[in-house]
Amino acid sequence: MTQQELQARYGAVMMNAFGAPKRVFERGEGVHLWDADGKQYLDLLSGLAVNALGHAHPGVTEAITAQLGRLGHVSNFFASEPQVRLAERLAALVGDPAAKVFFTNSGTEANEAAFKLTRLTGRTRIVAMEGAFHGRTMGALAITANAKYREPFAPLPGEVTFVPYGDVDALRSAVDDTVAAVVVEAVQGENGVVPAPEGYLAEVREVTRAHGALMWVDEVQTGLGRCGEYLAHLTESQVADLITFAKGLGNGFPIGACVATGAAADLLHPGQHGTTFGGNPVAAAAGNAVLDALEGGVLDDARRTGAWLADAVRALDHPVVSEVRGRGMLLGVVLTHDAAAGIADAALESGFVINAPRPNVLRLAPPLIATPADLQPFLDAFPSLVEAAETSSRA
Ligand SMILES: *Cc1c(COP(=O)(O)O)cnc(C)c1O
């Protein structure tokens, strides 16, 4: 079956939620993908910051396969060892040994769980950030800033106040004793990889603590090594009350988690929330296999290679690049004008998968295991990609 045939079948049967797919992929291994016509690509997107260990990672494949052969699913009426072990490991990462975990199947559901926890404080107001992205379910959408995503679905859960991301004065004036939580990303990935200004997360911690509000950090994209640390927000030593994970946790197997610390860990009681699949033994086995692999020095490599990649893009000294921002293996290449979509298309034509979260920003989020040698071909090709994009936009 050729790509063209599969694309036609896709168009006939799939709801048009994502536009026409640009490629149909058939196989992946490490940092590479192959499309249905057999063409090879270097993956610098990792399925949206998901495939931290690359494609078809043997440890994850082995763990999932073995677990599915032993016990695949039992519902949350019952427990399984892989689930308990993964919860213990996530709880150990967040800075409070008494932290507790609720498992989900996605990032938006992890945020949905956190949102419901905030309601159990007895307060209902939420302060969220301009530029934020937290997912597509109605609750997560209510704290997501993008008007295009929100407006068709109004009314959304209310009492959400948006403040400019990184603006300390605006934060201070928005938070009082009626606020249940402040929700924030350490780096706004979907907004074009915008890191919080230095000291801002410490300020969020201080302001929320002063008013008895929860600090809720969405680490769905940034967490578990993507930014070079297990938690991007812990670089400022702030223990948050609610932390949500998903993308990197299962290396492609769908799993998310909402982790709560301190008093927030005991907010939820039987009957108040639930999930059929969340934290099932196979998903938990995937999560454990990812954490096993990350322990082997992957984070150090991601930090080092990410810094190398950012410097290497800067060193191209290309006139279309105005700035490279982000941390670890989550980088935004900021352009002088809105050329990102055209460059991403040209990259795909040349065998590189990247994306354009903003009209003037390219996102680079390679697998954490990518080496400088893996990534060098993209740097070598970059000037020709820009040229190809310019030529086709003139055509
Ligand atoms: C991707 C993302 C989500 C949503 O995750 P899904 O698995 O797509 O529901 C939430 N928050 C952030 C910061 C994200 O990047």
Side-chain angles (χ1 to χ4, degrees):
M1 191 65 53
T2 67
Q3 282 203 92
Q4 212 178 0
E5 287 167 324
L6 287 163
Q7 280 160 321
R9 283 169 58 193
Y10 180 105
V13 74
M14 298 288 286
M15 286 192 200
N16 190 19
F18 305 99
K22 296 202 161 99
R23 290 294 183 279
V24 179
F25 285 114
E26 198 168 78
R27 191 167 72 80
E29 194 185 317
V31 298
H32 293 110
L33 286 164
W34 286 266
D35 70 22
D37 298 333
K39 180 176 166 172
Q40 181 183 307
Y41 299 78
L42 175 63
D43 188 359
L44 295 104
L45 184 60
S46 309
L48 285 170
V50 167
N51 294 95
L53 306 173
H55 298 278
H57 185 270
V60 179
T61 305
E62 218 288 307
I64 292 171
T65 310
Q67 185 59 49
L68 193 57
R70 191 177 312 121
L71 179 69
H73 179 82
V74 289
S75 91
N76 283 304
F77 289 136
F78 309 103
S80 68
E81 189 277 338
Q83 168 195 67
V84 176
R85 186 153 45 95
L86 182 60
E88 289 169 348
R89 297 172 83 177
L90 290 176
L93 293 180
V94 300
D96 174 8
K100 290 185 180 163
V101 178
F102 183 90
F103 284 118
T104 69
N105 313 291
S106 65
T108 199
E109 286 171 276
N111 284 326
E112 211 65 32
F115 201 149
K116 286 180 76 173
L117 287 185
T118 71
R119 289 285 205 256
L120 298 175
T121 62
R123 301 181 184 182
T124 48
R125 286 190 55 212
I126 305 279
V127 173
M129 302 292 149
E130 290 175 7
F133 181 81
H134 299 294
R136 303 298 200 129
T137 51
M138 296 295 264
L141 205 49
I143 51 170
T144 289
N146 192 329
K148 202 177 87 193
Y149 296 168
R150 300 168 55 86
E151 278 166 6
F153 304 103
L156 297 166
E159 296 186 74
V160 178
T161 306
F162 288 95
V163 296
Y165 185 53
D167 181 334
V168 170
D169 293 333
L171 177 74
R172 285 207 187 117
S173 53
V175 180
D176 60 23
D177 289 357
T178 69
V179 168
V182 174
V183 55
V184 66
E185 296 156 87
V187 178
Q188 291 186 329
E190 298 308 300
N191 194 30
V193 192
V194 182
E198 209 173 315
Y200 185 67
L201 297 173
E203 196 67 36
V204 172
R205 180 66 283 178
E206 199 180 301
V207 170
T208 48
R209 190 169 282 139
H211 291 283
L214 300 175
M215 177 180 181
W216 166 7
V217 183
D218 181 342
E219 291 264 9
V220 166
Q221 182 159 166
T222 53
L224 302 170
R226 176 51 54 190
C227 292
E229 316 280 344
Y230 282 106
L231 295 131
H233 77 278
L234 266 188
T235 49
E236 289 186 27
S237 307
Q238 308 314 318
V239 177
D241 300 292
L242 302 173
I243 306 103
T244 50
F245 296 106
K247 290 192 164 93
L249 183 52
N251 205 54
F253 200 95
I255 179 169
C258 171
V259 184
T261 68
D266 298 311
L267 283 171
L268 195 64
H269 293 103
Q272 290 177 324
H273 196 42
T275 165
T276 299
F277 293 117
N280 96 0
V282 183
N288 280 312
V290 168
L291 294 185
D292 289 345
L294 293 183
E295 280 166 12
V298 173
L299 273 60
D300 291 340
D301 290 344
R303 242 184 343 263
R304 207 173 306 122
T305 306
W308 173 86
L309 180 59
D311 284 342
V313 175
R314 289 182 194 111
L316 291 172
D317 204 18
H318 195 285
V320 82
V321 176
S322 67
E323 184 193 350
V324 182
R325 63 191 178 201
R327 285 211 303 275
M329 291 287 230
L330 184 60
L331 300 176
V333 180
V334 186
L335 309 175
T336 53
H337 58 285
D338 290 355
I343 294 173
D345 284 347
L348 202 54
E349 285 301 316
S350 299
F352 302 100
V353 181
I354 59 176
N355 96 315
R358 309 271 312 160
N360 67 329
V361 182
L362 298 168
R363 172 168 40 190
L364 305 181
L368 305 185
I369 56 155
T371 64
D374 291 329
L375 301 170
Q376 186 64 47
F378 172 73
L379 294 160
D380 295 341
F382 189 82
S384 69
L385 305 179
V386 177
E387 210 166 298
E390 278 168 4
T391 307
S392 78
S393 79
R394 275 195 299 267

